[in-house]
Amino acid sequence: MLDVQGSDAPLTICPNGNPSSECSHCKVRALSICSALEGDEVQALDKITRHISFAKHETLFAQGDLLDAVYNITSGSVRLVKLLPDGRRQIVGFALPGDFLGLSMSERNGFSAEALSVTATCQFPRKDFSALLDAKPHLLRRLHSMASHELSLAQDQMVILGRRTAEEKVASFLLGLRKRWARIDGSTVRAPLPMSRQDIGDFLGLTVETVSRMMTKLARDKVIVIVPDGVRLLDPARLEALAET
Amino acid sequence: MLDVQGSDAPLTICPNGNPSSECSHCKVRALSICSALEGDEVQALDKITRHISFAKHETLFAQGDLLDAVYNITSGSVRLVKLLPDGRRQIVGFALPGDFLGLSMSERNGFSAEALSVTATCQFPRKDFSALLDAKPHLLRRLHSMASHELSLAQDQMVILGRRTAEEKVASFLLGLRKRWARIDGSTVRAPLPMSRQDIGDFLGLTVETVSRMMTKLARDKVIVIVPDGVRLLDPARLEALAET
DNA sequence: CGTTGGGTTGATCGACCTCAATAAAAGTGG
DNA sequence: CCACTTTTATTGAGGTCGATCAACCCAACG
């Protein structure tokens, strides 16, 4: 694990304006909602920010709860989980550094958000953030553009869930994730997998066993290599062919 | 079919400001994006509006094309289609009266939009509409709120596609559609189905045959009645139980 | 009246699930 | 650091739900 740190300590770090965590030093700023703001505007955002970390498997917010804060992920990763009454689980997305949780600014959460590893966030009270949206129209445009992108990803996922085979599902998943990591850390062949096989299955509408089988098949065919905490893409072109994109 | 009209005539009706089609007389205004605007503001929208109708199976815009206009549906219905290279089809949504196409305001379309029956729209040039968004922040907020709602529906659909059985899929589909029609025409048991069984299958990740089988099963169990152009819900409570919502 | 496009129904098949066993990691406490 | 438990991943054997293939019905329409 990359982000390991003394994990008994309270996980709230530097509430409000610790210099070392200021937006100006933020590594994911270019990817985040914050990129809509410049100079002194950032300070308005900084004022309502609380820097909060979550332990592995800790819940940021739960399905059905009132949404009283929105989050910007600065490190770590998060799974977005929808649960059926009978316990079946569907993961509707994974949030990586730079991603924003609460794009909809809606009253209630449609899903739970659970940290996959130690995860650092900027938390903004929903009301304050909403007020800022009213004051800064280009922040709202940025929010809308991020939500639109999310909608587009959701529609792609609908194609994957509805019309693709198990092998295609796993292949597209790895490609999609690799692409997202590339924006974050620039790596072009490594795709860290902070989530379990079960999580991947619940994202792709498959069982753990099928995910595992498809991964080993891809590895046997020398398209990927399975490494600790992720995979390495040996033959991205073959993988894209398999994904039928 | 409800909306049949002389269909050889050119389908563009009353371009720009025909009094009979003014926003003030619009039946779906309360449901539409337009509800964000009041009085004289509506006129600014009216100025950039072209009223355009489409014949059954006519294309509003195609997957991959540049999006040069956005649409408000005033009557009829539209399917939103994503096509895989090998011909497999996934429908990512159906647009009904009051719905807005182009929520994302993005450069390119992720899907094609095809009229299911004769469909009337208000068309807005993308650039003009974008300018209006800059001028009227509450219009942007309304757009964002509609996009958020759409995202939430897409996530519900992901659960349906990934984790529900064929019967549950069809049951949730009918319930969801009934709910949407209720907002439009207030009807509480009737659910018109302007789309074919094939379309329903491509929306739910099923084949035509399975959709047909599940519909007849629901009808045999006296949960629904199949009527011309749709279904009537006999026992909404049973249907909700079957949908495992 | 033949043709065409949906829709329904039946028989068979296969991709993925289920159940079960094993293997490999990751914690846990001494 | 090493036994021990717990969790996660892999692999195998067999079953099932929905797909596939095929026939048929029926309404719309030239």
Side-chain angles (χ1 to χ4, degrees), chain A residues 221-235:
Chain A
D221 296 350
K222 310 265 186 248
V223 183
I224 64 172
V225 190
I226 298 172
V227 296
D229 300 322
V231 299
R232 192 173 280 274
L233 309 194
L234 286 185
D235 193 341

Side-chain angles (χ1 to χ4, degrees), chain A residues 113-180:
Chain A
E114 301 162 2
L116 289 169
S117 51
V118 176
T119 295
T121 70
C122 296
Q123 184 196 60
F124 315 105
R126 190 172 71 88
K127 281 190 177 174
D128 296 344
F129 193 82
S130 184
L132 200 61
L133 287 176
D134 286 329
K136 313 276 183 195
H138 40 300
L139 186 62
L140 178 55
R141 272 215 103 128
R142 173 84 177 132
L143 185 76
H144 180 248
S145 129
M146 290 181 81
S148 299
H149 181 67
E150 206 60 33
L151 178 57
S152 169
L153 289 181
Q155 287 164 345
D156 290 345
Q157 191 64 11
M158 284 166 67
V159 182
I160 289 175
L161 288 167
R163 286 294 179 226
R164 292 180 126 102
T165 66
E167 185 174 32
E168 290 169 348
K169 284 179 177 183
V170 172
S172 349
F173 171 71
L174 294 177
L175 282 169
L177 204 60
R178 197 270 311 249
K179 193 174 170 191
R180 293 179 65 195

Side-chain angles (χ1 to χ4, degrees), chain A residues 165-166 205-207 209-210 213:
Chain A
T165 66
L206 299 172
T207 57
E209 294 94 327
T210 303
R213 274 185 253 272

